[in-house]
Amino acid sequence: MARKPVEKPAQTISGMPAGDPKHAARATRSAGRKMRSSLLDGASRLFKERGLAGTSISDIAAAADAFPSQITYYFRTKEALFVEAACRDMLYVAREAERAAFEADTPRDYTRALVESVTATDSVAFFAEALTLTRRRQDLAPLVERTIERLHGEGLRAYAGQIERHGWNTLRDPDATSRRFWAVAIGVMVEGYAMGRSSDALRREMLRVLGEQAATKPAGDNARLRLVGERDISRSSSSEGETSS
Amino acid sequence: MARKPVEKPAQTISGMPAGDPKHAARATRSAGRKMRSSLLDGASRLFKERGLAGTSISDIAAAADAFPSQITYYFRTKEALFVEAACRDMLYVAREAERAAFEADTPRDYTRALVESVTATDSVAFFAEALTLTRRRQDLAPLVERTIERLHGEGLRAYAGQIERHGWNTLRDPDATSRRFWAVAIGVMVEGYAMGRSSDALRREMLRVLGEQAATKPAGDNARLRLVGERDISRSSSSEGETSS
């Protein structure tokens, strides 16, 4: 897609010392970041409310007190802005969920806190919409890919840390657990939002589908905690490369 | 949304005995069903190839050798046709998967056959796109709701039948297993299609995320097959009603 030629956004920083180019550049960069961030905030709110088709570039510009040309300058297209706003939201909600679950003492409380946090917002549904869009817009795939990598990476780190801190016994490898969590979240939300489910119903459905991820008591009772044959399946499918099994 | 006034589709049945109104009505109904089905076939193929935005009503009409007015007569809007085609496809692929998995002798083979069948087509991604669309078009929700109910109902029946036939030991309640299967399928596909994954990579990821659903040997080894505390979670979240937990 060809980049639309647009003017650079007008300098809006007042009282800048004209004689210090370094300071001026820094101030411009910081103002740019601020504008970018406020465009993403406005876009995120409007897109979640009205969807991609129901939101125009000028709506977003108006919401962020900016010009439409600033949106095309920073993001090129509405679709790219949609995907970036959704990715940002998703990482934010994931971090919030980990924070909310950090104090949990048992695997069940941990899962409940994560699920409660994730189902309380529509960020996962927003992200799923961005994923659906990206299927037809492979130019936007790299950002989505980085987001999913971070999501799984941070999820894995948080879960592994929790297991370590509490001495929980995980029922499957932590990487698969984190991937399952997000796959189930996306699946349950996409389905639930289509059916107009309440966040309470989404929470219950997600807990039900997830089941148990880990068990509290590791000692002397190991046999109860192993899933027969589980190791083999996750091993043969653990690589994302193109080796056939 | 107001229904667009369109003409009834022209009678296309030739050689119909004009003196037998019952026969004529039956023949018209059957021709109508045929046209409807061929419109759904064409729509399904084009929508999967090009998405909702990339497909027009006249493209679909041309593909089915019909008039655009026939599409609005049978389905009202492009969006309604999209959702109906996706729902039909989804139930079809679910039935195909159960057929492919029917002969499996072990839980692992059963899951593998299901996953292989489901990841070999883009029907789940198509359905997920319909779900995303339905979120903004709640007038289309009833069809989606019926489809999901049938999906879970038939999945549950098939899985329970398999357990019964082979004497497998299920690791969780079969209803949750079937729900998990489809939630994971939707989540993995939505993510995987955004990232342009091959069906082979989708298959591996889905197997990995699903893990084990049941175990082959029920006798004398029960302790290995139970997930600690699992019962409690699925119980407290098993109802979709509005009781608070």
Side-chain angles (χ1 to χ4, degrees):
Chain A
M1 201 141 293
R3 181 163 184 169
K4 242 175 150 184
V6 290
E7 299 131 48
K8 285 215 155 202
Q11 299 271 45
T12 52
I13 304 115
S14 61
M16 215 163 51
D20 180 354
K22 250 194 199 162
H23 179 101
R26 207 159 43 228
T28 308
R29 262 204 311 280
S30 133
R33 263 201 301 272
K34 226 166 154 179
M35 172 51 76
R36 224 176 170 283
S37 164
S38 105
L39 287 170
L40 282 166
D41 288 342
S44 174
R45 191 169 49 76
L46 287 175
F47 281 139
K48 287 203 270 191
E49 221 174 272
R50 311 179 192 168
L52 178 69
T55 310
S56 71
I57 284 191
S58 40
D59 292 341
I60 299 164
D65 206 10
F67 295 108
S69 64
Q70 288 177 295
I71 292 177
T72 48
Y73 173 71
Y74 284 111
F75 303 98
R76 292 197 194 184
T77 62
K78 187 173 80 165
E79 286 74 17
L81 173 56
F82 187 92
V83 170
E84 186 165 341
C87 286
R88 192 181 70 147
D89 243 55
M90 185 67 178
L91 291 174
Y92 182 73
V93 89
R95 244 163 270 149
E96 276 305 295
E98 290 298 350
R99 206 165 306 168
F102 188 76
E103 300 291 348
D105 285 328
T106 68
R108 177 167 318 162
D109 287 348
Y110 178 69
T111 304
R112 277 192 180 276
L114 284 180
V115 167
E116 216 150 281
S117 184
V118 158
T119 51
T121 77
D122 52 1
S123 297
V124 176
F126 184 23
F127 185 63
E129 207 174 337
L131 291 175
T132 305
L133 171 67
T134 305
R135 180 185 172 192
R136 309 284 173 196
R137 285 287 306 266
Q138 282 291 299
D139 56 313
L140 304 174
L143 177 59
V144 161
E145 208 155 331
R146 277 201 305 279
T147 303
I148 288 175
E149 261 165 39
R150 278 182 66 180
L151 202 63
H152 291 165
E154 288 175 16
L156 167 60
R157 229 184 338 272
Y159 184 58
Q162 211 72 0
I163 287 172
E164 178 84 26
R165 279 191 330 127
H166 295 285
W168 296 340
N169 219 8
T170 182
L171 295 171
R172 50 173 59 235
D173 88 90
D175 185 37
T177 302
S178 164
R179 283 167 181 276
R180 161 185 287 189
F181 182 87
W182 290 114
V184 165
I186 292 170
V188 166
M189 300 294 208
V190 165
E191 194 183 290
Y193 270 91
M195 288 161 71
R197 278 192 181 149
S198 70
S199 64
D200 211 51
L202 290 168
R203 180 180 60 74
R204 280 198 306 277
E205 177 73 1
M206 204 179 148
L207 278 172
R208 182 187 193 188
V209 167
L210 271 177
E212 204 73 14
Q213 317 262 21
T216 319
K217 294 180 198 124
D221 206 358
N222 268 330
R224 291 171 68 196
L225 306 169
R226 210 183 318 122
L227 292 187
V228 178
E230 167 129 358
R231 224 175 336 126
D232 302 10
I233 275 206
S234 61
R235 219 173 246 170
S236 68
S237 56
S238 66
S239 136
E240 266 170 67
E242 289 302 315
T243 56
S244 73
S245 69
Chain B
M1 204 141 293
R3 184 164 181 167
K4 243 175 149 183
V6 291
E7 299 129 48
K8 284 216 156 203
Q11 299 270 43
T12 52
I13 305 114
S14 59
M16 216 162 51
D20 181 352
K22 249 194 202 164
H23 179 101
R26 206 159 42 230
T28 308
R29 260 204 313 279
S30 132
R33 263 201 302 271
K34 227 166 155 178
M35 172 52 75
R36 224 177 170 283
S37 163
S38 106
L39 287 170
L40 282 166
D41 288 341
S44 175
R45 191 169 50 74
L46 288 176
F47 282 139
K48 287 203 269 189
E49 224 174 87
R50 312 179 191 168
L52 178 70
T55 309
S56 71
I57 285 191
S58 39
D59 292 342
I60 299 164
D65 207 9
F67 295 108
S69 63
Q70 287 175 294
I71 292 178
T72 46
Y73 172 72
Y74 285 112
F75 304 97
R76 292 196 193 184
T77 63
K78 188 172 80 163
E79 286 74 17
L81 172 55
F82 187 92
V83 170
E84 186 164 342
C87 286
R88 193 183 69 148
D89 244 55
M90 186 69 179
L91 291 173
Y92 181 74
V93 89
R95 243 163 270 148
E96 275 306 295
E98 290 298 349
R99 205 164 307 166
F102 187 77
E103 300 292 347
D105 286 326
T106 67
R108 179 169 316 162
D109 288 349
Y110 179 69
T111 304
R112 277 191 180 277
L114 285 180
V115 167
E116 216 150 282
S117 184
V118 159
T119 51
T121 76
D122 50 2
S123 298
V124 176
F126 184 23
F127 185 63
E129 207 174 334
L131 291 176
T132 305
L133 171 67
T134 304
R135 182 187 170 190
R136 309 281 173 197
R137 287 287 304 265
Q138 282 290 303
D139 56 312
L140 305 173
L143 177 59
V144 161
E145 207 154 334
R146 277 200 305 279
T147 303
I148 289 175
E149 261 166 38
R150 278 183 66 181
L151 203 63
H152 290 165
E154 288 176 16
L156 166 61
R157 228 184 341 269
Y159 184 59
Q162 212 71 1
I163 287 172
E164 177 84 28
R165 279 192 329 126
H166 293 287
W168 294 339
N169 218 7
T170 182
L171 295 172
R172 51 175 57 235
D173 88 272
D175 185 36
T177 302
S178 165
R179 282 166 183 276
R180 161 186 288 191
F181 182 87
W182 290 115
V184 165
I186 292 170
V188 166
M189 299 296 208
V190 165
E191 193 182 290
Y193 269 91
M195 289 161 70
R197 279 191 181 149
S198 69
S199 64
D200 211 52
L202 290 168
R203 180 179 59 73
R204 280 199 306 278
E205 177 74 2
M206 204 180 149
L207 278 172
R208 184 187 192 187
V209 168
L210 272 177
E212 205 73 13
Q213 319 260 21
T216 320
K217 295 182 197 119
D221 206 357
N222 268 331
R224 292 171 68 196
L225 305 169
R226 212 183 318 121
L227 292 188
V228 178
E230 168 127 2
R231 224 174 338 126
D232 302 10
I233 274 206
S234 59
R235 218 175 247 170
S236 67
S237 56
S238 67
S239 136
E240 269 169 68
E242 290 301 316
T243 55
S244 74
S245 68

